[in-house]
Amino acid sequence: MAGPARPRLVVALAALAAGAALPVRAELPEGVDRAIAVAYEVAADASYVETRAVEMRISDERMIAQRGSASFDFDPSDEALELVEASVLQPDGTRIPVPAASIFTRPSAAAQSTPGFVGTQTTTVVFPQLRKGSIVRSQWRHSVKRPRVFGFDANILLGLDNRETVELRIRAPLALPLRFAHRGGFTVSDETADGMRTIAASIRTGRTPPAEPRMVSAIDLGPAFVASSLSGYEQIGAIYAARSAGKAAVTPEIAALARRIAGTATGLDAARKVHDWVAAHIRYVAVYLDPSEDFVPHEAASVLRNGYGDCKDHVVLMQALLAALDIRALPVLVQWSDRMAPLPLWSSGSFNHAMVYLPEFDLYGNPTNPFAGLGALDIMLAGKLVVVASEQGEVRRTPASRPQDNRYSAVSTMTVAADGTVTGTGRITASAGVDPVLRSALAASGRPEDLAARLLLPTPEGGYGSLHASDPRDLARPLQIETRWTSPHGVVAARPATYMTVPLGIDLTPNGDLRAYIAPSGRRRFPVMVGARDYDWRSSVSLPPGSVVERLPPPVEIGNAAGRFSVSYETTAEGFSQQRRLVLDRDVYAAEDYPALEALLYAQIDAQRSVVVYRPPQ
C-alpha cells in the first residue's frame, strides 16, 4: 500500500535557514479543542527553520489515548530537532513539565522496518497525569540544513468535525519565488518589507457535520492552505526524473532476467509478463513517499539483489527490465488513498505513491499491488491526477472507472430439500478491475472452508462449504473460483405453503453489504465512494419434487442518473430462477446524486429479501 494516513495538519516542507526562528505560541481559547501555530524562517536556497507549537484539550477519556503523546520525525543526517517545551496544564491551573524520562528518541517506524533504506528518527513525548480537562502542550524547533528536492512547501490540511485554530507564518527572501492557494475560510495576508516577504494564514474552525460512512477523505472537504516554491506540477515530474536518472540501468543480470521473463512474448504481452513478475517477486517494504524524504528510488540492481523495495523501487526495477526489452516506461506520482481531489496548489504533499506508465500503450501499472495486473487500477487510483516523471514533466489523469471494466458474475445452482436444507454450487468470474479484490481476499483467507464460513455467516441461510480457486498470486492465469456449500435449515419448510427468499450462497461481491452506503436520513452531505461496477447474479433453484411455485416476486427494472438495476424471475420445471444485475456508472457520487444511487441500492437490497412462495407436495 501507499503511505500511512496523514494527520489533519500536514507539514510537507524542505530545509533550514540561517538565523533564529520566528517566535510562536499556540493558546487555546474557549470553545477550541486544539490550537496550532507554525512559523517558517526560510533562506534563499529554500532551507528553513520551522517552529511548531501545539496545544490540545483532553475533553474526555477517549482523548487520553489519542492525545497522550506527541511525536516528530527527523533525519539526523541533515536535520536537527529540539523539543523547546512539553508540559501538561491541569484543570486547577497546575502546570506539570514533562520529565526527561518521558522523552524518547528512537529509529522511526520506517527505519525499523527497512534498515539501510531510511535513517529517520522519531522523538516522542509522553504526557503525564492526564485527566479530563487537561491541556497538553508541545513546542518544537526543526532545522533542516540542506534544501529538499522539491524546494520549500507547506501544507495545512484540515479535516472535519474540528474545533481548532491554526496560525501559519512564512518569512522568506523576495528572491525565493513562493506561490500559495487556499480554500475553506483561511484569512491570508502577503506583505513585503526590507527585502523579505511574510505570508500569514489563519483560521478558526467550528463543529461541522460528522463524517459519513464510505465518504471521500475529509481532507478533500476541509479547509486547506498550500504554499510552494515550485512553478507547477510539471516541475515536480522533472525533478523526480532528474533525481532518478541512471537508477534504472540495465545490468547484464537484469537483461538476462528480462529475456527469461518475456520468453517469446513481445510488446504489450512482454510488458504484462514483466509487470506480473515484479509484483509477484519483489516484496513491498513500507518506505513511504513522504515529502520530507528525497523521493529517490534505489538502483534497480540493488532492488533485484535485495528482493524488496518500496513503490519507487518496484517502478525502477520494472523500468530497467522493460528497457532491456526496448519498452519505454516512466514513473508517475499519484495519491493512492481516498483523497480524490487535488490540493488547492501543486505540492509534493499531493502524492504518496509511485506507479509506472507505458507511453507506447498509454497504460498504467501498479506493481506494488501483487494482485493487480498491468492496467488494473483500483477505486483509489482511477481518475486521479498524476505527474509523469520525464524531462519536462507532464500532468495527466489515470482513466476513470467504467462499469464494463469492473464486471462480476456469480452463477449458482441450488437445491432445496424437503426439510429446508439448501445445497448449492457456484462459479464466480470477474474482469480485471474486480479481479484484484477477489485475489487479495483469497490469498488472505487461509483455509477455503474458513473463508466459505465467513461469507455464509451474514447470509439469512448461513451454512458451511468451501471454495476452490486457481492461484490468486498467478496474475498470468485468469482467476477461476468454484464454490460448494450446505445450509441446514436454509429454508423454513412449512405447509401448506413455504415462504422463502432466494439463498445468497457464497458470494465474494466486493465492497461488502450495500447497506453500508445507505444514509439514515435519506440524504448525504458529502461525496460517497461506491465504485463503478457491473455485477450480475444468476441463481437456479430446484424445489422438492412435486412442489408448485405459487408466487414469484414481480420483475423490477430501474434506470436513473446513477446507473440501473434489474431483477427477474422465471418458473422452471424443477423450481424457479432469478437474475439480478446492478450497474453503477462511476466510483464517486456527489451528495446531490445520492437519491438516485439510494434508489438502486434499495432495489438490490429489496430484491435480496423478496419472497418466493411454493406449495410442497402434500
Side-chain angles (χ1 to χ4, degrees):
M1 291 296 292
R6 296 191 176 280
R8 287 175 296 184
L9 175 75
V10 180
V11 184
L13 308 149
L16 164 74
L22 292 169
V24 299
R25 183 162 188 87
E27 294 185 343
L28 278 176
E30 285 299 321
V32 172
D33 294 326
R34 182 170 70 164
I36 302 167
V38 188
Y40 304 105
E41 188 82 15
V42 189
D45 65 352
S47 59
Y48 71 85
V49 170
E50 167 195 3
T51 304
R52 183 195 306 182
V54 182
E55 280 196 358
M56 296 185 291
R57 191 185 314 276
I58 306 297
S59 56
D60 53 45
E61 295 296 325
R62 175 176 54 91
M63 290 295 180
I64 294 178
Q66 294 181 353
R67 297 179 173 178
S69 63
S71 298
F72 204 120
D73 290 356
F74 68 103
D75 188 339
S77 67
D78 62 1
E79 301 175 23
L81 180 66
E82 176 189 357
L83 178 62
V84 179
E85 176 190 354
S87 61
V88 177
L89 179 64
Q90 299 292 31
D92 62 3
T94 304
R95 185 173 293 276
I96 304 174
V98 175
S102 296
I103 302 170
F104 310 92
T105 298
R106 300 286 188 272
S108 67
Q112 292 180 48
S113 64
T114 55
F117 270 49
V118 177
T120 54
Q121 295 187 348
T122 300
T123 294
T124 300
V125 174
V126 181
F127 296 106
Q129 302 296 325
L130 294 186
R131 66 196 66 172
K132 183 179 178 180
S134 298
I135 294 175
V136 299
R137 174 176 172 79
S138 61
Q139 182 171 334
W140 311 78
R141 182 174 291 115
H142 177 217
S143 302
V144 185
K145 305 169 186 177
R146 183 177 61 197
R148 292 298 184 214
V149 171
F150 294 111
F152 173 88
D153 60 25
N155 304 314
I156 297 178
L157 311 178
L158 304 179
L160 300 172
D161 196 27
N162 308 314
R163 296 191 307 174
E164 59 190 348
T165 64
V166 179
E167 295 183 0
L168 167 73
R169 284 179 292 168
I170 303 172
R171 190 166 69 179
L174 286 173
L176 180 69
L178 280 180
R179 297 170 175 84
F180 64 85
H182 55 92
R183 66 168 186 247
F186 275 93
T187 299
V188 181
S189 64
D190 185 2
E191 300 177 350
T192 59
D194 301 324
M196 299 293 290
R197 183 181 182 189
T198 300
I199 300 170
S202 63
I203 191 171
R204 177 169 175 169
T205 63
R207 290 293 185 193
T208 59
E212 297 170 337
R214 309 297 177 98
M215 61 180 274
V216 299
S217 170
I219 290 176
D220 286 356
L221 307 168
F225 176 95
V226 180
S228 173
S229 62
L230 300 182
S231 60
Y233 285 115
E234 292 84 355
Q235 190 176 1
I236 293 177
I239 291 172
Y240 186 96
R243 295 285 297 186
S244 58
K247 300 292 184 179
V250 180
T251 64
E253 183 182 13
I254 287 175
L257 175 61
R259 290 191 295 270
R260 288 200 305 272
I261 294 171
T264 59
T266 60
L268 183 56
D269 290 337
R272 293 190 188 281
K273 287 178 175 290
V274 168
H275 178 280
D276 294 352
W277 189 93
V278 173
H281 290 83
I282 302 302
R283 177 169 55 91
Y284 178 71
V285 293
V287 185
Y288 304 117
L289 263 182
D290 189 287
S292 66
E293 299 296 335
D294 286 342
F295 275 82
V296 179
H298 296 85
E299 293 183 352
S302 68
V303 177
L304 180 60
R305 181 172 57 253
N306 291 328
Y308 63 81
D310 68 357
C311 56
K312 306 184 299 294
D313 299 325
H314 281 74
V315 169
V316 78
L317 177 57
M318 188 170 169
Q319 283 182 273
L321 291 167
L322 291 176
L325 302 173
D326 295 322
I327 299 173
R328 186 171 179 239
L330 297 171
V332 294
L333 303 179
V334 66
Q335 176 67 223
W336 192 12
S337 75
D338 57 0
R339 283 171 51 184
M340 307 302 287
L343 297 179
L345 187 73
W346 51 84
S347 163
S348 59
S350 299
F351 311 110
N352 70 346
H353 187 58
M355 296 193 302
V356 68
Y357 175 60
L358 278 58
E360 181 181 352
F361 309 108
D362 191 22
L363 203 61
Y364 297 86
N366 184 23
T368 304
N369 186 347
F371 305 109
L374 183 63
L377 302 179
D378 62 44
I379 186 174
M380 294 189 291
L381 291 173
K384 285 289 188 76
L385 181 147
V386 297
V387 170
V388 180
S390 60
E391 184 176 353
Q392 303 298 325
E394 182 183 358
V395 180
R396 298 177 59 89
R397 276 194 175 273
T398 57
S401 290
R402 304 175 302 170
Q404 57 265 40
D405 299 326
N406 300 299
R407 288 196 173 102
Y408 173 91
S409 173
V411 179
S412 59
T413 301
M414 292 175 276
T415 299
V416 180
D419 65 355
T421 297
V422 178
T423 57
T425 60
R427 185 183 183 196
I428 296 172
T429 57
S431 65
V434 179
D435 187 70
V437 180
L438 307 188
R439 290 178 182 272
S440 177
L442 290 167
S445 65
R447 295 195 318 145
E449 293 82 2
D450 295 336
L451 176 58
R454 288 198 299 272
L455 294 171
L456 287 165
L457 183 62
T459 66
E461 68 271 13
Y464 52 88
S466 64
L467 292 85
H468 300 279
S470 55
D471 184 356
R473 296 184 179 276
D474 184 359
L475 298 181
R477 180 182 175 188
L479 185 64
Q480 298 178 352
I481 304 173
E482 304 289 339
T483 62
R484 184 178 299 274
W485 71 94
T486 299
S487 300
H489 298 271
V491 170
V492 180
R495 295 177 185 276
T498 296
Y499 293 73
M500 63 173 286
T501 58
V502 179
L504 300 178
I506 296 177
D507 183 12
L508 278 86
T509 304
N511 300 313
D513 187 352
L514 293 181
R515 286 189 177 276
Y517 302 93
I518 298 293
S521 65
R523 64 187 181 92
R524 276 184 174 263
R525 296 181 176 89
F526 308 121
V528 56
M529 297 180 65
V530 182
R533 66 184 74 181
D534 183 351
Y535 289 175
D536 182 68
W537 299 266
R538 299 172 186 244
S539 300
S540 176
V541 181
S542 296
L543 299 173
S547 298
V548 176
V549 176
E550 290 194 336
R551 188 176 71 199
L552 293 173
V556 175
E557 188 163 352
I558 299 175
N560 60 29
R564 59 190 186 275
F565 172 80
S566 63
V567 59
S568 60
Y569 302 83
E570 183 177 344
T571 301
T572 64
E574 295 80 18
F576 66 94
S577 63
Q578 180 203 62
Q579 179 179 352
R580 286 180 286 123
R581 187 179 182 192
L582 176 64
V583 179
L584 301 181
D585 291 335
R586 51 193 183 275
D587 283 339
V588 179
Y589 287 86
E592 58 267 24
D593 297 327
Y594 173 73
L597 173 65
E598 183 186 77
L600 300 179
L601 298 182
Y602 269 130
Q604 162 75 339
I605 292 169
D606 290 345
Q608 292 176 332
R609 298 183 304 169
S610 294
V611 175
V612 173
V613 181
Y614 72 90
R615 184 179 296 275
Q618 301 302 315

